[in-house]
Amino acid sequence: MSSQVLSDQESHAISAWVRLLRGHAAVRRSLSIQLHADHGLTVNDYEALLVLSRAEGKQRRRIDLAQELQLTASGVTRLLDGLEKHGLVEKGSCASDARVTYAVLTKAGERKLDEAACSHVAAVRALFEERYTADELGTLAELLARLPGGGGDEDCVP
């Protein structure tokens, strides 16, 4: 492809892809640094706590949590090990199937999420609202919702 001349549509698609990747990496890094400095959490930690807080019984099967967080089984194990070490989640078991394990949000995890939510949401808002108007943010959200995994307002706010 590099030796071929790209059509305008191909060029726009590649440009959008590169900007999405770079923007995502920079924004995630910035928010993660702030979240860690203020609350000792990574973005993945925060997202795991948020998902668990919204789940029925404040628990999810570990395999479902991995899928929702777009992590491998070993990746979610490492993530949950750290959260368990700090008392933010605990392991739960299934009475009907011993092979199934759950990640369960603890009261300490709920408090940590509550503490982190205000400043994290404020940081996200500031980052976007400094760069985009309200109309542009609405359009951006609509456009990104078309991407695989990009839909659903229920995932957006704590």
Side-chain angles (χ1 to χ4, degrees):
M1 173 86 80
S2 62
S3 63
Q4 297 174 335
V5 175
L6 295 175
S7 70
D8 283 346
Q9 187 168 350
E10 290 169 328
S11 178
H12 290 311
I14 299 301
S15 178
W17 170 244
V18 169
R19 289 177 181 184
L20 180 63
L21 286 178
R22 289 180 181 168
H24 173 265
V27 166
R28 188 172 180 93
R29 188 178 322 108
S30 172
L31 292 173
S32 192
I33 288 169
Q34 186 168 9
L35 194 55
H36 193 268
D38 293 347
H39 303 286
L41 296 172
T42 67
V43 171
N44 280 349
D45 293 338
Y46 179 86
E47 189 174 3
L49 296 176
L50 183 61
V51 167
L52 291 172
S53 76
R54 293 180 173 166
E56 187 176 330
K58 301 206 184 300
Q59 63 181 13
R60 297 276 285 163
R61 289 185 329 160
R62 293 165 75 95
I63 192 74
D64 294 334
L65 185 61
Q67 185 175 11
E68 195 161 348
L69 297 175
Q70 297 181 3
L71 295 173
T72 62
S74 62
V76 83
T77 295
R78 283 190 300 277
L79 174 74
L80 292 173
D81 284 349
L83 293 173
E84 288 170 15
K85 179 179 157 190
H86 291 95
L88 305 178
V89 299
E90 60 190 14
K91 287 182 184 172
S93 59
C94 179
S96 61
D97 188 344
R99 297 170 297 177
V100 176
T101 57
Y102 290 90
V104 182
L105 185 65
T106 64
K107 292 293 183 192
E110 287 183 72
R111 285 191 301 275
K112 178 62 90 170
L113 178 61
D114 287 344
E115 291 168 10
C118 288
S119 63
H120 181 61
V121 170
V124 170
R125 288 188 63 188
L127 192 141
F128 280 89
E129 291 173 354
E130 289 172 359
R131 291 161 176 81
Y132 302 102
T133 66
D135 287 343
E136 289 172 329
L137 285 171
T139 300
L140 180 60
E142 287 175 23
L143 293 171
L144 292 174
R146 295 183 199 169
L147 292 172
D153 288 336
E154 70 278 358
D155 296 333
C156 299
V157 260

